[in-house]
Amino acid sequence: VTSPDPIASLVAGVLERRPRAVARAISAVEDGGEPQREVVRRIYDRTGRARVVGITGPPGAGKSTLVDRLARLFRSRGETVGILAVDPTSPFTGGALLGDRIRMQALYTDPGVFIRSMATRGAMGGLAPATRDAADVLDAAGFDWVLIETVGVGQDEVDVVRSADTVVLVTLPGLGDDIQAIKAGIMEIADVFVINKADREGVERTARELKLAMELDEAGRGWVPPILKTVASIGRGVEEVAEAVTRHRAHLEASGELAERRRAQLRLRVETILQRRVLSAADRRLGLEREVERAAAQRLDPYTVADAVFAGVTNLGKQAEVLP
Ligand SMILES: Nc1nc2c(ncn2[C@@H]2O[C@H](COP(=O)(O)OP(=O)(O)O)[C@@H](O)[C@H]2O)c(=O)[nH]1
Ligand SMILES: [Mg+2]
């Protein structure tokens, strides 16, 4: 890099939607530290325009296939699409059949599409923050849509999905008990339900089960999540999914809920950054591990130890020495 301010040229490239700059900016937010913060600081006022959609559900449900179909549909309307894949079993990361990868390859050559798989390990500031920041990068780059694919398990993944304006839960017929598993955490935040592989048996039953599970927490939502059936592999029902997502966005805007969600998202991000920063300061600067060992030897209670460590962190903060 020849520029005296590498982040500035990187950010300029992002705003011009240059693929290499977008890719490098996303690497920067994955690597953590000052570059991560600086990239987000400088692009943030250019974000907020993209429609951010989280696509979640169990492995093999057809999320990648649906994302692929949605991307094609949006492109056929002249809209641009950024895709973030957080799923380690995703074709983007080489987990699936060769055919899928070849299919995705066609999209790679289209400058209106940017596809990136997030490192599920090694994001220094955490996977969820890195993914949200990457979505910001795509948003600032002017992509009309940001599609985030992720398997819906674990707190990290739930946090990723929470940073979307619209959450699409993709499931498949015959999940049975798995619906109970999905329920924990994701079900409550799904805005659109998709039963993919509707070419298989058991679609109606799964639809009934979903509807039952949903009705329990439907009250007062103001938005009744539609249950759609798709055969993503041949594109059937994909227009309806796009339509539902668009309708949901309109609902968010009309009801004022969009601003509310964005506030909640910001809060979640700030909380995550704070948690990590306090822990990291305690760990790296105050020798948390050593403290714990000493406390264990002296049989100190956890509150006393936490008080002492927290006092140390507060002190670091006063000295403006809080860590990345
Ligand atoms: N029968 C059937 N197969 C599908 C459908 N959608 C996707 N598949 C296949 O299911 C497999 C898993 O799909 P994939 O999109 O990778 O699922 P993901 O793990 O949720 O991303 C792939 O072999 C797809 O070709 C569908 O609607 N019907
Ligand atoms: Mg996938």
Side-chain angles (χ1 to χ4, degrees):
V1 179
T2 49
S3 161
D5 182 353
I7 303 278
S9 60
L10 190 55
V11 166
V14 167
L15 299 182
E16 288 165 22
R17 206 197 298 148
R18 289 206 300 266
R20 277 179 56 92
V22 171
R24 280 175 47 222
I26 293 178
S27 296
V29 301
E30 279 182 327
D31 290 346
E34 190 55 27
Q36 175 175 31
R37 284 181 269 166
E38 209 43 41
V39 164
V40 177
R41 277 190 197 120
R42 296 198 203 183
I43 61 168
Y44 197 74
D45 69 346
R46 302 291 286 267
T47 66
R49 224 197 95 263
R51 283 165 283 181
V52 183
V53 182
I55 290 131
T56 190
K63 300 178 296 298
S64 298
T65 312
L66 182 64
V67 164
D68 169 46
R69 290 288 179 171
L70 283 172
R72 284 162 195 279
L73 178 63
F74 295 144
R75 286 305 291 139
S76 75
R77 299 173 180 172
E79 296 160 347
T80 52
V81 189
I83 300 170
L84 297 173
V86 189
D87 181 353
T89 66
S90 152
F92 310 126
T93 49
L97 301 171
L98 186 62
D100 286 336
R101 256 184 278 166
I102 290 169
R103 215 156 29 75
M104 288 309 297
Q105 211 66 47
L107 285 175
Y108 271 99
T109 60
D110 176 353
V113 176
F114 182 93
I115 303 171
R116 172 69 177 241
S117 67
M118 300 298 293
T120 45
R121 257 189 292 238
M124 289 309 292
L127 178 63
T131 306
R132 287 189 209 111
D133 294 352
D136 276 352
V137 169
L138 295 174
D139 189 347
F143 287 99
D144 297 309
W145 296 90
V146 175
L147 309 180
I148 307 176
E149 178 194 338
T150 172
V151 285
V153 287
Q155 190 55 50
D156 242 7
E157 301 252 341
V158 175
D159 282 354
V160 166
V161 160
R162 275 189 190 282
S163 60
D165 300 323
T166 299
V167 176
V168 178
L169 176 61
V170 184
T171 168
L172 68 172
L175 262 189
D177 286 349
D178 288 358
I179 285 188
Q180 291 307 119
I182 292 169
K183 267 191 74 176
I186 294 283
M187 187 97 187
E188 296 85 338
I189 57 171
D191 303 299
V192 175
F193 290 91
V194 171
I195 305 172
N196 188 43
K197 306 201 177 179
D199 52 332
R200 291 192 181 172
E201 258 174 61
V203 191
E204 291 313 321
R205 198 188 144 176
T206 304
R208 275 197 307 275
E209 284 171 348
L210 270 180
K211 198 163 187 318
L212 270 174
M214 208 176 74
E215 273 163 3
L216 301 176
D217 55 42
E218 201 176 272
R221 275 248 250 170
W223 164 263
V224 180
I227 300 174
L228 307 172
K229 296 156 195 163
T230 59
V231 184
S233 48
I234 57 167
R236 190 190 300 158
V238 173
E239 290 217 16
E240 285 78 359
V241 176
E243 192 266 336
V245 166
T246 304
R247 214 155 36 79
H248 180 251
R249 169 68 178 222
H251 160 78
L252 288 181
E253 284 174 8
S255 64
E257 215 188 299
L258 185 62
E260 220 172 276
R261 276 193 191 210
R262 296 256 160 112
R263 260 199 311 277
Q265 289 163 3
L266 182 59
R267 186 186 164 108
L268 186 65
R269 292 176 77 169
V270 173
E271 278 178 9
T272 312
I273 292 165
L274 278 175
Q275 279 165 0
R276 296 189 68 92
R277 196 170 292 185
V278 167
L279 267 182
S280 147
D283 217 21
R284 288 200 253 164
R285 298 295 295 271
L286 303 169
L288 180 61
E289 195 53 45
R290 221 178 35 245
E291 283 299 313
V292 169
E293 253 170 57
R294 207 157 52 87
Q298 296 175 13
R299 289 201 48 81
L300 294 180
D301 71 275
Y303 290 95
T304 303
V305 183
D307 282 351
V309 172
F310 188 71
V313 171
T314 316
N315 239 353
L316 280 181
K318 278 187 202 137
Q319 300 162 21
E321 279 186 32
V322 174
L323 283 176

